[in-house]
Amino acid sequence: MTKEPGAENVWRGWRAATEDALYGPGGFYRRPEGPAGHFRTSVHASALFAAAVARLLCRVDEALGRPERLDFADLGAGRGELVTGVLAALPAEVAARTRAYAVELADRPADLDGRIEWRDELPDALTGLLFANEWLDNVPVDVAETDPAGVPRRVLVAPDGTERLGEPLEGPAADWLARWWPLPAEPGARAEIGLPRDLAWAAAVRRVERGLAVAVDYTHALGARPPFGTLTGFREGRETAPVPDGTCDITAHVALDACAAAGAAAANTEAPGPLTQRAALRALDVTGVRPPLALATTDPAGYVRALARAGEAAELTAPGGLGDFGWLLQPVGLDGTPL
Ligand SMILES: C[S@@+](CC[C@H](N)C(=O)[O-])C[C@H]1O[C@@H](n2cnc3c(N)ncnc32)[C@H](O)[C@@H]1O
């Protein structure tokens, strides 16, 4: 809150400013290099991730009784890396029945597998697996901050990232904060208002007729929210100050417990509990166990490959890193979760 950028109408809430900066014309996610040019997700870290998602799709397939048409939708698909990897990892018989969708606001990459349908919205009714890796953290949110009198207000931002406080929060935003992220009265306490993410997740779950919807993201839980929020920027692999000018990603950790409650209400089930990526991937047979040393003598090339796989699995499941990500698994019309 240092300098005034002049014109009054440049001040907007973070949600509107981020929406334009990421997805407007010339927005960050419209750039040709795609997300992989700026940060590394589990999808980029290792093909083991797509192989695990393919195994999960096979389990959903079994739970659905092996339907004639099995849907796989990659929501927030980047450049289609995950859906491409999943198709490559599926057994041929399952791949032949799979209808693969990449749902993404950016344009279709020129060299994408012709079997993948590229669209900017989910299909109306999916039977299969909907998978959203690091999508919810990019659903723009407003930021709230407690003012010197102890009143939570909407934070306004100018295109150069300068902030000031706007109106006191009321209505659904204030209700959401009271339920999911009560702001302390100490001046300067901040929170991201996750309501648009709850609504986005519930809308995605509603597109699943039968099957499983999965959201994977960095997350925090009620009772342990970060006192100053997590809004941040990323550019070319580095964390930066968030500036809503289209030159960097703008992201904030996800209140996945709130999304879980909203998705469960949409699916008419109990809210699923928290699960770490470490636990989810272990259940999908991704382990960082090193190969036996004896293999180095009998099959040196196989040993080196197995060692590389173990290293990649360790990165995907690492404490303090990708392993701490949350997996939200929302079954729809299934008996339990096929994991
Ligand atoms: C952080 S990237 C993740 C890409 C990929 N899932 C991965 O894990 O590597 C988020 C992606 O979600 C896309 N996205 C955001 N909101 C979207 C929406 N409403 N519909 C489709 N795609 C969206 C962005 O354009 C961006 O490519």
Side-chain angles (χ1 to χ4, degrees):
M1 270 171 257
T2 47
K3 47 188 168 138
E4 293 282 326
E8 199 58 21
N9 62 8
V10 302
W11 296 105
R12 294 190 293 173
W14 269 104
R15 184 182 176 198
T18 304
E19 189 70 51
D20 276 357
L22 297 187
Y23 308 119
F28 177 78
Y29 276 118
R30 307 272 182 191
R31 287 161 165 250
E33 69 271 21
H38 295 271
F39 48 83
R40 185 175 156 91
T41 68
S42 296
V43 177
H44 314 133
S46 168
L48 292 178
F49 190 76
V53 175
R55 280 195 287 284
L56 180 58
L57 178 58
C58 289
R59 293 195 193 173
V60 172
D61 183 41
E62 293 292 334
L64 289 169
R66 303 167 64 78
E68 232 169 77
R69 205 190 92 190
L70 177 69
D71 295 320
F72 175 71
D74 179 5
L75 175 54
R79 294 298 175 269
E81 297 96 333
L82 177 63
V83 61
T84 301
V86 167
L87 279 179
L90 283 175
E93 186 279 322
V94 182
R97 286 185 288 115
T98 298
R99 188 81 172 263
Y101 301 99
V103 183
E104 174 55 56
L105 300 174
D107 292 339
R108 180 187 181 103
D111 55 354
L112 195 74
D113 186 327
R115 290 174 295 173
I116 299 169
E117 187 175 327
W118 190 267
R119 24 189 317 147
D120 60 7
E121 266 200 21
L122 280 166
D124 283 342
L126 293 164
T127 301
L129 176 62
L130 179 162
F131 203 93
N133 191 63
E134 293 203 35
W135 167 61
L136 284 170
D137 67 282
N138 280 131
V139 173
V141 286
D142 271 325
V143 176
E145 184 175 321
T146 307
D147 76 6
V151 177
R153 292 178 178 268
R154 195 180 311 275
V155 175
L156 305 181
V157 63
D160 67 355
T162 311
E163 291 183 339
R164 75 180 191 195
L165 295 189
E167 76 282 6
L169 285 158
E170 52 187 32
D175 295 344
W176 189 92
L177 280 180
R179 166 71 182 88
W180 291 109
W181 196 332
L183 259 182
E186 281 90 57
R190 282 167 71 112
E192 289 103 29
I193 306 168
L195 180 61
R197 294 172 174 177
D198 295 6
L199 298 175
W201 178 242
V205 167
R206 272 190 222 101
R207 299 292 176 103
V208 180
E209 205 164 68
R210 276 187 76 219
L212 184 68
V214 181
V216 178
D217 238 302
Y218 36 106
T219 178
H220 42 59
L222 188 63
R225 306 274 188 224
F228 304 107
T230 59
L231 191 78
T232 192
F234 276 94
R235 185 187 296 123
E236 291 166 8
R238 292 219 174 79
E239 202 167 335
T240 69
V243 178
D245 62 359
T247 64
C248 62
D249 186 24
I250 298 172
T251 169
H253 289 39
V254 180
L256 215 51
D257 45 1
C259 296
N268 208 12
T269 65
E270 297 278 303
L275 186 70
T276 61
Q277 170 148 306
R278 189 163 36 258
L281 289 184
R282 290 215 171 117
L284 291 166
D285 306 328
V286 177
T287 64
V289 176
R290 292 163 69 96
L293 202 54
L295 192 66
T297 341
T298 55
D299 177 8
Y303 177 76
V304 170
R305 278 197 303 276
L307 205 56
R309 271 200 306 276
E312 292 174 11
E315 181 182 356
L316 290 173
T317 55
L322 292 170
D324 291 343
F325 272 42
W327 278 46
L328 164 52
L329 291 110
Q330 178 60 60
V332 183
L334 297 181
D335 290 334
T337 301
L339 188 70

